[in-house]
Amino acid sequence: VQDNSGKLSGNGFANATEEGFDIALNFTLLGSVKGKDNITTVKLTMKITGTASDGFQVIPVSGNLKFNFAVDNASSQLLGAVKGKICVQGLGCAPIDEAAQFAIPEGSDGDWTLVMDIDSLDGKALAGTGAAVLSNGRALPVALSGKYASTSDTSKVTLKGDGAKLTLQGNATPGVFAIHTLKAKLLGQRLSQ
């Protein structure tokens, strides 16, 4: 789950059988997503707890792993590396240092749409509401403020909400806002145009 600041959290489990042992693992994940200059990075820390059992004995298993990824837009993959260790009580720890790759969740391709409802209060001051809508359907509502300059026929608009802050400048006509410049921070990622 990604919160509005770009922080990640989650949990899961895995079961396997190896060399006559049934292995049951639980894990928790914490991390963050950051973006700048069209490069999005993901950092995750995974804590592992669980057991390995051969039917006679139950042995505790633990581990800590750190993942560092960059988003590869072309393949919709998280590409990077994982480092850490997995420990089995009484048998020691095994180091992990290898390449890692995961698919980005379906429908999360990085595209987003900005929807705005702009009202002019006096021909100069602007107010309204809007939302940044992500490709997976998640919407980040924003409050809108700004001003219109008749000498340049341009508007400067600021949109703020939990998880989203955007400043844009452009020309507005009914139903269309042609953006000239954009600076934004959405879910911890910085965007500019």
Side-chain angles (χ1 to χ4, degrees), residues 28-50:
T28 57
L29 291 160
L30 295 173
S32 63
V33 177
K34 294 187 178 180
K36 188 175 181 184
D37 299 328
N38 291 327
I39 297 172
T40 302
T41 58
V42 177
K43 294 184 182 245
L44 294 170
T45 300
M46 178 188 286
K47 183 177 180 179
I48 301 167
T49 59

Side-chain angles (χ1 to χ4, degrees), residues 6 32 44 59 67 81 97 101 107 109 119 130 132 142 159-160 164 181-182:
S32 63
L44 294 170
I59 304 169
F67 298 86
D97 187 355
Q101 177 176 329
D109 62 10
D119 292 319
V142 291
L159 303 115
K160 293 181 183 177
T181 61
L182 166 73

Side-chain angles (χ1 to χ4, degrees), residues 40-42 68-80 100-106 108-109:
T40 302
T41 58
V42 177
N68 289 302
F69 294 112
V71 174
D72 181 52
N73 293 327
S75 66
S76 294
Q77 298 281 313
L78 296 174
L79 302 176
Q101 177 176 329
F102 291 98
I104 294 172
E106 192 172 328
S108 298
D109 62 10

Side-chain angles (χ1 to χ4, degrees), residues 6-178:
K7 301 286 185 197
L8 300 170
S9 62
N11 55 59
F13 65 92
N15 295 306
T17 301
E18 188 169 327
E19 297 183 15
F21 280 86
D22 291 326
I23 302 167
L25 302 176
N26 293 299
F27 50 88
T28 57
L29 291 160
L30 295 173
S32 63
V33 177
K34 294 187 178 180
K36 188 175 181 184
D37 299 328
N38 291 327
I39 297 172
T40 302
T41 58
V42 177
K43 294 184 182 245
L44 294 170
T45 300
M46 178 188 286
K47 183 177 180 179
I48 301 167
T49 59
T51 59
S53 175
D54 62 0
F56 300 104
Q57 58 182 333
V58 177
I59 304 169
V61 177
S62 64
N64 288 296
L65 301 175
K66 291 189 178 192
F67 298 86
N68 289 302
F69 294 112
V71 174
D72 181 52
N73 293 327
S75 66
S76 294
Q77 298 281 313
L78 296 174
L79 302 176
V82 57
K83 292 183 179 185
K85 63 183 177 179
I86 304 287
C87 301
V88 178
Q89 186 175 328
L91 298 177
C93 298
I96 307 287
D97 187 355
E98 57 191 53
Q101 177 176 329
F102 291 98
I104 294 172
E106 192 172 328
S108 298
D109 62 10
D111 287 343
W112 59 283
T113 303
L114 181 60
V115 178
M116 298 184 292
D117 183 13
I118 303 173
D119 292 319
S120 176
L121 304 176
D122 59 6
K124 293 182 183 179
L126 304 174
T129 59
V133 182
L134 309 182
S135 60
N136 64 2
R138 182 175 178 182
L140 303 171
V142 291
L144 181 149
S145 63
K147 60 184 171 180
Y148 169 73
S150 59
T151 54
S152 62
D153 191 31
T154 60
S155 298
K156 183 174 181 181
V157 176
T158 300
L159 303 115
K160 293 181 183 177
D162 191 19
K165 181 179 180 185
L166 303 98
T167 302
L168 47 105
Q169 190 165 355
N171 297 99
T173 59
V176 176
F177 192 98

